[in-house]
Amino acid sequence: MIAMPTLVLASASPRRAEILRNIGWPFEAVAADIDESRFAHEDAPAYVTRVARAKAEEVRLRVPGATIVAADTVVVVDGEILGKPRDEEDARRMLRLLQGRSHEVLTGVTVFNGSTVEPRTAHEVTEVTFAEMNEDEVEWYVSSGEPMDKAGAYAIQGLGARFIKGIKGEYSNVVGLPVRLLYELISSGPVFKGACPGAPPIASRD
């Protein structure tokens, strides 16, 4: 039997917490307090991995010695990085951009083992295809409030599921925490202290 290390989830996201609960991974949540502004000319993989690492480093200062996990998720369409909408009009704009086509969801993940200095960081990419949406559907969805705290202004696990035509890649990545990548980052490092021999080296998948 593989003993899962108890994690400190550097996030206030109820969706990431729910993922860990659903897979039976013990954790406690400690929200990270950082500036998540994107640097000029910073692409999506660089942005999500940098922010994930910054979240982990900030929480590590408050919970020294713990196994810290942090993540950051964005949506990318036509080269534009979509984070959380600023307001309802921004949510409408995002949904109009996404409807009737495919886009990518990227999540950067960082794992800090309390006994090591350097974190392990990688990112996952999933392709999501939206069905076409008419204006009544856009208005209904925005008025539900669900888009307002979600990258790309939708939740694949919520009301937004009715507008998803298909995905290519890991579902949990779209929700906000790619489970397989997290497991690989931890099991191939020193956190398990040899409990998972033979795990392959990690490379970001896109």
Side-chain angles (χ1 to χ4, degrees):
M1 181 178 179
I2 297 173
M4 300 287 199
T6 297
L7 306 177
V8 172
L9 177 63
S11 175
S13 166
R15 294 165 294 281
R16 294 189 177 112
E18 184 178 13
I19 288 172
L20 291 179
R21 280 193 294 268
N22 287 344
I23 64 173
W25 204 316
F27 75 98
E28 61 176 300
V30 178
D33 183 15
I34 65 163
D35 180 0
E36 299 185 29
S37 301
R38 187 162 64 98
F39 296 157
H41 310 299
E42 188 174 34
D43 64 17
Y47 172 71
V48 294
T49 53
R50 176 182 63 81
V51 172
R53 177 165 177 160
K55 290 178 179 178
E57 288 176 338
E58 195 277 331
V59 170
R60 187 185 186 213
L61 295 175
R62 291 185 279 142
V63 194
T67 299
I68 310 291
V69 171
D72 192 69
T73 302
V74 296
V75 167
V76 181
V77 60
D78 287 342
E80 182 180 354
I81 297 174
L82 306 181
K84 298 174 184 177
R86 295 183 301 274
D87 50 34
E88 289 190 352
E89 187 53 43
D90 197 33
R92 294 184 187 95
R93 180 187 71 86
M94 291 183 183
L95 292 169
R96 290 168 186 146
L97 275 175
L98 298 177
Q99 66 90 22
R101 59 192 305 196
S102 296
H103 62 271
E104 291 184 331
V105 178
L106 287 81
T107 300
V109 179
T110 291
V111 173
F112 253 121
N113 174 17
S115 64
T116 61
V117 175
E118 286 300 311
R120 300 174 65 79
T121 300
H123 74 277
E124 185 70 59
V125 181
T126 301
E127 181 181 292
V128 180
T129 301
F130 252 67
E132 293 185 359
M133 298 175 69
N134 60 42
E135 280 301 305
D136 287 342
E137 289 171 327
V138 170
E139 287 298 327
W140 172 82
Y141 190 42
V142 171
S143 69
S144 75
E146 185 175 86
M148 301 314 299
D149 64 340
K150 315 292 190 306
Y154 74 94
I156 194 171
Q157 76 283 10
L159 299 175
R162 69 196 65 195
F163 304 118
I164 305 303
K165 195 171 183 179
I167 71 169
K168 182 179 179 181
E170 187 174 353
Y171 171 84
S172 65
N173 182 51
V174 186
V175 181
L177 186 63
V179 173
R180 180 61 198 177
L181 179 60
L182 172 61
Y183 180 75
E184 289 176 355
L185 285 170
I186 290 181
S187 64
S188 63
V191 178
F192 273 174
K193 304 184 186 303
C196 296
I202 301 301
S204 292
R205 297 185 287 270
D206 49 21

